[in-house]
Amino acid sequence: MIHEINFVLNGEEVSCTVSARRLLIHVLRDDLGLRGPKIGCDTGHCGACTIRYNGVTIKSCMMLAVQADGAEIETVESLASDGELSPLQEAFHEHHALQCGYCTSGMLMSSEFLLERNPSPSDEEIREGISGNICRCTGYMHIVEAVRDASKAGRRVEA
Ligand code: FES
Ligand code: FES
């Protein structure tokens, strides 16, 4: 069965037709051309497909596209603005917090969500915040350092 869905994607209204069984990650990547969110497992384990759904992070391989109808969706493509990386993206770059980059969009979305709720997380809280995201390359240390540094940068901007 085919459904028409309408939602806000990175601030723009979009509509598309999807079959009832289609996963949101596949519609985002294959129908709407957003290749930031990745598919690592398609079973809710790796976090590579992490996006925001009505303000909270979700794994978009665990959601049917029809459930996006009427929602606000944000992907990693929403983080940079006017060609400028966000402070967190800059911190990932500066701290070499990625190698193959496959986990990175999910890591960024989870870390942004953490910093929004907790602007000064401890290392333990950072690790907890990214615990739903698996990285097979970095050993996590550089990712934790990047998030820690971005949290300090945020404090400098607010000061
Ligand atoms: S692709 Fe969604 S959690 Fe791995
Ligand atoms: S940088 Fe390769 S999986 Fe994280």
Side-chain angles (χ1 to χ4, degrees), residues 38-49 59 61:
K38 299 287 189 285
I39 303 169
C41 64
D42 239 355
T43 54
H45 291 97
C46 74
C49 65
K59 292 174 176 173
C61 72

Side-chain angles (χ1 to χ4, degrees), residues 118-136:
N118 179 0
S120 303
S122 64
D123 282 9
E124 193 179 337
E125 288 168 332
I126 293 171
R127 289 180 178 280
E128 176 67 24
I130 59 171
S131 60
N133 298 80
I134 293 171
C135 176
R136 66 182 182 179

Side-chain angles (χ1 to χ4, degrees), residues 98-104 134-138:
L98 58 144
Q99 288 181 29
C100 78
Y102 210 82
C103 70
T104 307
I134 293 171
C135 176
R136 66 182 182 179
C137 304
T138 66

